[in-house]
Amino acid sequence: MKVLGIDGSPREGKGNTEIVVRKALDVCKGNGLETEFVAISDLKVEYCDHCNDCLTEPKCSKDDDVESILERMEEADAIIIGSPTYFGSVPGKLKSLLDRTVVLRRHGLKLSGKIGGAIVVGGSRNGGQEFTIMTIRNWMLMQEMLVVGDKETAHFGGICVGRKRGEVLGDKEGIKTVENLGKKMVEVLKRD
Ligand SMILES: Cc1cc2nc3c(=O)[nH]c(=O)nc-3n(C[C@H](O)[C@H](O)[C@H](O)COP(=O)(O)O)c2cc1C
């Protein structure tokens, strides 16, 4: 069983989203699951412009790094999407990646049945993390994924506060929601 963690922050270098996505993956790995980490800051991600080439072809005609991410999504049994909050939503680069998965929906709903979990970091305590996490969870539902939350901490997944790099580690309450999301993924993936 493989869990793919995607760091959807466009900020280069190790930021808060990377820290929390890796934390959730560590919980999965510690419980015997295979994990893989991808940061989109290192990758070229063009936006979907509704060219509709993927209505006829099973792949996107754009020449960038998205195809390799989509392949990893297809291989995974579960996907964790991590995002910073930008003006109360996901950053444009991550939204572009989510939009580009339309080819997987159009050609056999390839993400259907995979387990999905979301983690969001914002610089302010009430900076729009819940709207942001719902954007990701809505994408998962529209891809027919099975969305999990964070057990007894009972938010909508991992929700954290942190602005400067590494600051998220000081949000003990938020880190607990991230660890619980990882535990919930393990629980669901290991169901009989
Ligand atoms: C353009 C921009 C918009 C932002 N908007 C918000 C916001 O609406 N709410 C919030 O709490 N933080 C906001 N932030 C702060 C980031 O969410 C925060 O610094 C986060 O930790 C960045 O994650 P990263 O280190 O993984 O890139 C914004 C940052 C930027 C650059």
Side-chain angles (χ1 to χ4, degrees):
M1 290 284 182
K2 184 170 175 182
V3 184
L4 172 67
I6 297 179
D7 167 9
S9 172
R11 172 149 74 162
E12 284 180 8
K14 191 170 180 169
N16 291 316
T17 310
E18 171 165 351
I19 290 169
V20 288
V21 169
R22 285 195 187 275
K23 237 181 214 314
L25 290 179
D26 284 348
V27 171
C28 296
K29 199 171 183 176
N31 284 278
L33 301 175
E34 195 187 331
T35 61
E36 186 177 7
F37 174 83
V38 173
I40 67 168
S41 58
D42 302 335
L43 303 171
K44 191 173 169 205
V45 177
E46 303 277 357
Y47 58 84
C48 173
D49 56 9
H50 207 327
C51 71
N52 274 346
D53 285 357
C54 71
L55 276 180
T56 45
E57 294 299 319
K59 68 195 257 326
C60 180
S61 51
K62 293 201 184 301
D63 183 20
D64 60 8
D65 296 317
V66 168
E67 198 181 335
S68 75
I69 308 175
L70 301 189
E71 279 168 11
R72 287 182 239 183
M73 283 183 173
E74 271 193 71
E75 280 164 23
D77 300 288
I79 301 170
I80 295 172
I81 304 275
S83 177
T85 305
Y86 276 19
F87 286 98
S89 191
V90 294
K93 191 169 184 181
L94 175 58
K95 184 63 167 65
S96 291
L97 173 64
L98 300 183
D99 291 346
R100 293 279 300 282
T101 66
V102 68
V103 62
L104 302 180
R105 188 180 152 79
R106 286 177 169 178
H107 291 272
L109 273 163
K110 297 217 170 70
L111 302 182
S112 180
K114 294 184 191 293
I115 309 302
I119 303 175
V120 169
V121 188
S124 307
R125 167 64 58 193
N126 299 303
Q129 288 92 327
E130 290 189 4
F131 289 103
T132 308
I133 209 165
M134 293 315 289
T135 299
I136 300 169
R137 289 169 55 108
N138 286 343
W139 167 79
M140 288 173 173
L141 291 172
M142 291 172 108
Q143 289 286 8
E144 289 196 4
M145 293 172 68
L146 307 173
V147 185
V148 300
D150 56 310
K151 291 171 69 73
E152 69 273 5
T153 35
H155 293 87
F156 301 100
I159 294 193
C160 301
V161 185
R163 190 171 296 271
K164 295 187 192 133
R165 286 178 205 283
E167 219 170 59
V168 73
L169 286 167
D171 178 20
K172 302 294 174 212
E173 188 84 9
I175 296 295
K176 193 85 206 140
T177 66
V178 170
E179 289 168 348
N180 279 347
L181 176 78
K183 285 182 194 163
K184 188 69 198 175
M185 290 221 131
V186 171
E187 215 175 273
V188 175
L189 284 168
K190 290 194 166 180
R191 262 177 329 194
D192 289 330

